[in-house]
Amino acid sequence: MKRFCWIMVMSLVCSSALYGADAASPRVEKLLAGLSTRQKVAQLFVMSVDSHEGNAALRAKQMEYVKEGVGGLIVMDGSLMPFARTLNELQEMAAIPLMVALDGEWGVSMRFPEFPYFPRQMQLGALSSPELVYEMGRVVAKEMKLVKLGVNYAPDVDINCNPKNPVINARSFGEDREKVARYGWAYAKGMQDEGVSACAKHFPGHGDTQVDSHRGMPVLDFSLARLDSLEMYPFRHLVSNGVDMVMLAHMSVPALDPTGTPTSVSKPVIDILRKQMGFDGLVVTDALGMDGVSEFFNNDGPRVCLAAYEAGADVLLMAINYKECINLIVSKIESGELPMEELDAKVRRVLSQKERQGLLDPLYNPMINIETLEDDMKRLGEKELIQKMSDNTVLCAHRDGQTLLKGKVAYLALGAGEEKRVPNMDDDIYKPREGEGGGPAAYGARRGVGESGAEKMARLLGYDSFFLPRDFTLGDLKEMKAKLARYKTVIVGFHDTDSRPQNNFGIKEPAIYDYIGRWSRQQRLVGAYFGSPYALDVMPWFRNFGAFYIGWADNVYNCKSVSEVILGQREALGIFPVSAAGIKAGTGNTAK
């Protein structure tokens, strides 16, 4: 009997070593032992969920998958209160509590506009230290826990060293590997210190691509030495510090896998994580319906899932046709083509993560308290932190050293009409309404209610203010220039921008920007650009301005900070996180 027990123990040890899963807690092992093969496989899947309560067919499908035993959910766009009711309903049906994830790089507001907007990661990269990034991680985690979200698929630790990157760009902390690593871990640690799992993405590094993996498969044709020293550097840092999860990118990286197989379904790539970096957490795929991986398998969803499973992924995100995906993997295991030990190791990691989040505690309540949710949100105090981050990230791209505001001053807000007002998401007017569809777009009809960033700036500056709407023409601008000729200095606010290079940073009519360039040589202008510093490359005339500031996203927080800089009430303390227009990353206030 003793010999039999010893053989069994050694067998467990060997299989754990082979599949990278240490023995879990007695609670996890007992739960694992009681699951059927099909239930185990289902625990690896994460299904998308939203708040469209009126869509009966969609809701029925979600309920079917939860009854099937999917292990988790990922929140898509929605209205908060309908989502809370949806999540409570689905959790009520789940035999094992669902691990609910958010793709919330800039907080819960990325999916629910009822929460205040935190800065995107590139703006955070303009901070001089990661301390506020850590605080943001903690507060974002507190937001998430109010609505029972336990995983954030953030931070993005891609190094954006390609200004033309169409999909990462402002989602990155910048182009410096050390900053990306330190700030990425600060964000992750802040969340994990509050009990929310962080996820470093997109391994092995999506920063130097010119293809959006939602629409195609990027190819990173760099040497192994380059990939190891640059792209993979932040991931190694976060793994060594204990990040809970790593998300795989959909890319072809010949130096890591010469077959051209997408990295999200590549065993050699996952082996780098497991064997070389020693990562023992959850390996998560990016969404498996994205063209970057799906087209490689002729859009055959079950084949995609099987390939990800066989490569070593633990969590299969947003699969196409869950039931058929589960059927295929189960058939491979039951036929003996795939070992049960491998499945157990994956499920053991998933259940252990659920246990660490408290989901397996008999006293855990997975239900959102809808009655107290509004009051609980008000107590978080995010706005003070957001304002502090805004105050510390204003970039000075140019300053001529003269008295900034000379003579009679006016303020001109470009693209700040009713059609392009960034709402104050804390305002009661933005709370969900019964029967309203989900997503930020659902709030579009209410944009313009409350104070916009441009209006806040006008009020704080206190000068004569003029507004041109989002669709203003070159003719409108010429008329405005004539009207402003009597002012010695004109502060120009660029409010209608776009952070994406493929959209030319929101510059729809180059003739308008050319005209502004000519204007800047005729009259003293001071620029406040609310967008990406990369846009400086397509606005070479910014140096003709008396001063030119980058205020990042167009919202009340950033507009307040930039207004105070222009008025001399604070310094522009931001550090360039990327290089643009000859200004190198790491440059501080150019007026100094």
Side-chain angles (χ1 to χ4, degrees):
M1 182 65 179
K2 287 183 179 179
R3 175 178 170 78
F4 175 77
C5 291
W6 176 248
I7 291 173
M8 288 296 291
V9 168
M10 287 305 295
S11 176
L12 285 171
V13 169
C14 290
S15 65
S16 293
L18 180 61
Y19 297 107
D22 296 329
S25 71
R27 176 185 288 157
V28 167
E29 294 297 343
K30 182 178 180 180
L31 182 55
L32 178 64
L35 297 177
S36 68
T37 300
R38 188 172 190 84
Q39 289 171 324
K40 290 177 183 178
V41 172
Q43 277 294 303
L44 307 181
F45 283 82
V46 172
M47 170 185 77
S48 64
V49 65
D50 54 38
S51 62
H52 296 295
E53 293 181 307
N55 190 329
L58 177 61
R59 185 51 30 81
K61 188 67 69 175
Q62 291 170 344
M63 290 179 176
E64 176 188 350
Y65 293 147
V66 170
K67 288 177 182 176
E68 188 78 30
V70 295
L73 306 173
I74 176 173
V75 179
M76 303 310 289
D77 296 338
S79 299
L80 186 58
M81 293 304 180
F83 162 76
R85 291 191 288 269
T86 295
L87 183 57
N88 285 352
E89 185 179 8
L90 294 177
Q91 286 283 26
E92 185 75 37
M93 301 173 61
I96 299 173
L98 297 155
M99 187 158 57
V100 189
L102 175 81
D103 189 7
E105 295 162 18
W106 55 92
V108 180
S109 64
M110 188 167 168
R111 302 300 169 185
F112 297 111
E114 294 85 354
F115 287 87
Y117 272 78
F118 278 95
R120 297 197 182 195
Q121 288 187 194
M122 189 171 284
Q123 182 174 353
L124 299 177
L127 292 166
S128 58
S129 81
E131 294 173 5
L132 292 178
V133 182
Y134 171 79
E135 289 302 319
M136 174 176 158
R138 291 184 64 244
V139 175
V140 167
K142 290 177 180 178
E143 288 181 339
M144 293 177 63
K145 289 168 76 173
L146 283 183
V147 284
K148 301 295 182 175
L149 305 174
V151 176
N152 193 356
Y153 291 137
D156 188 316
V157 292
D158 299 312
I159 301 170
N160 203 82
C161 46
N162 184 346
K164 294 183 179 180
N165 192 316
V167 65
I168 303 302
N169 217 281
R171 300 165 62 192
S172 166
F173 289 107
E175 68 180 58
D176 177 74
R177 69 172 197 169
E178 299 290 344
K179 174 169 276 191
V180 171
R182 288 190 299 118
Y183 285 36
W185 173 239
Y187 191 9
K189 179 171 170 51
M191 290 188 286
Q192 292 185 180
D193 282 355
E194 293 292 332
V196 167
S197 295
C199 179
K201 64 184 185 185
H202 306 81
F203 188 81
H206 209 315
D208 198 353
T209 62
Q210 285 187 236
V211 174
D212 182 347
S213 52
H214 293 86
R215 297 177 173 84
M217 186 166 65
V219 178
L220 256 67
D221 200 8
F222 301 129
S223 70
L224 181 59
R226 146 77 190 249
L227 293 165
D228 187 61
S229 65
L230 188 64
E231 273 80 8
M232 292 192 287
Y233 182 87
F235 293 96
R236 189 177 299 107
H237 182 79
L238 269 72
V239 165
S240 66
N241 278 285
V243 71
D244 286 341
M245 302 182 183
V246 173
M247 179 180 285
L248 303 165
H250 302 313
M251 299 186 299
S252 170
V253 186
L256 304 182
D257 187 339
T259 66
T261 300
T263 49
S264 51
V265 294
S266 167
K267 190 175 189 307
V269 170
I270 295 177
D271 281 349
I272 292 172
L273 262 179
R274 292 289 190 209
K275 296 177 181 179
Q276 294 184 23
M277 295 187 182
F279 180 61
D280 59 2
L282 287 175
V283 175
V284 185
T285 68
D286 206 340
L288 292 174
M290 291 166 59
D291 290 347
V293 66
S294 184
E295 289 182 350
F296 190 80
F297 294 91
N298 296 317
N299 300 312
D300 186 331
R303 282 182 60 209
V304 174
C305 288
L306 178 62
Y309 178 96
E310 291 180 317
D314 300 310
V315 177
L316 307 176
L317 179 63
M318 298 175 71
I320 303 299
N321 197 337
Y322 288 90
K323 201 160 194 174
E324 291 304 314
C325 292
I326 293 170
N327 288 343
L328 180 59
I329 295 173
V330 168
S331 70
K332 295 288 184 181
I333 293 168
E334 290 184 339
S335 70
E337 294 178 64
L338 296 175
M340 179 63 73
E341 293 84 0
E342 181 182 15
L343 174 61
D344 284 348
K346 293 174 188 284
V347 179
R348 189 175 284 115
R349 281 190 284 266
V350 170
L351 295 178
S352 294
Q353 193 62 46
K354 289 189 174 186
E355 184 179 45
R356 283 191 288 274
Q357 292 180 8
L359 273 62
L360 303 186
D361 190 312
L363 299 179
Y364 175 73
N365 178 12
M367 301 298 164
I368 299 170
N369 190 334
I370 294 175
E371 286 71 26
T372 65
L373 183 54
E374 271 190 51
D375 290 336
D376 292 340
M377 287 170 63
K378 291 175 182 176
R379 285 192 284 269
L380 288 176
E382 305 105 310
K383 287 184 281 186
E384 183 178 336
L385 176 59
I386 295 171
Q387 190 62 65
K388 192 172 184 179
M389 290 188 289
S390 298
D391 291 344
N392 284 275
T393 51
V394 177
L395 298 177
C396 178
H398 168 71
R399 177 81 188 269
D400 64 10
Q402 301 178 34
T403 301
L404 187 60
L405 303 177
K406 297 180 178 181
K408 190 173 178 65
V409 180
Y411 162 61
L412 170 61
L414 299 178
E418 286 289 321
E419 297 176 40
K420 183 61 177 177
R421 290 187 180 175
V422 177
N424 179 354
M425 295 300 183
D426 312 311
D427 196 280
D428 286 345
I429 198 70
Y430 295 101
K431 291 196 169 67
R433 296 172 179 174
E434 289 296 325
E436 187 171 51
Y443 300 84
R446 283 178 273 159
R447 289 177 183 263
V449 179
E451 188 174 47
S452 70
E455 288 170 330
K456 177 119 182 174
M457 197 162 174
R459 180 167 58 82
L460 291 175
L461 289 172
Y463 301 116
D464 293 345
S465 296
F466 301 84
F467 297 82
L468 283 177
R470 185 181 185 184
D471 59 352
F472 75 92
T473 65
L474 180 58
D476 295 330
L477 185 61
K478 288 180 177 179
E479 288 181 13
M480 184 61 71
K481 178 179 180 292
K483 186 182 295 186
L484 296 173
R486 61 194 176 94
Y487 293 89
K488 183 70 172 177
T489 304
V490 178
I491 300 167
V492 182
F494 297 80
H495 294 273
D496 182 23
T497 67
D498 193 310
S499 65
R500 294 166 292 185
Q502 65 268 38
N503 291 343
N504 202 28
F505 304 102
I507 301 172
K508 303 173 186 65
E509 288 190 50
I512 289 176
Y513 271 52
D514 290 343
Y515 186 79
I516 294 172
R518 293 195 298 274
W519 184 3
S520 67
R521 291 190 291 270
Q522 301 163 4
Q523 189 174 7
R524 185 167 181 81
L525 304 183
V526 172
Y529 184 84
F530 296 96
S532 168
Y534 282 135
L536 294 173
D537 284 315
V538 293
M539 299 186 296
W541 38 256
F542 77 90
R543 289 190 175 87
N544 296 333
F545 281 58
F548 202 90
Y549 299 101
I550 301 292
W552 304 97
D554 181 22
N555 58 45
V556 292
Y557 307 104
N558 289 326
C559 287
K560 177 179 183 293
S561 301
V562 173
S563 297
E564 291 173 352
V565 168
I566 291 173
L567 292 172
Q569 297 169 357
R570 69 171 61 254
E571 287 187 62
L573 298 174
I575 308 295
F576 272 78
V578 293
S579 301
I583 303 170
K584 293 185 178 180
T587 302
N589 190 332
T590 60
K592 291 182 178 179

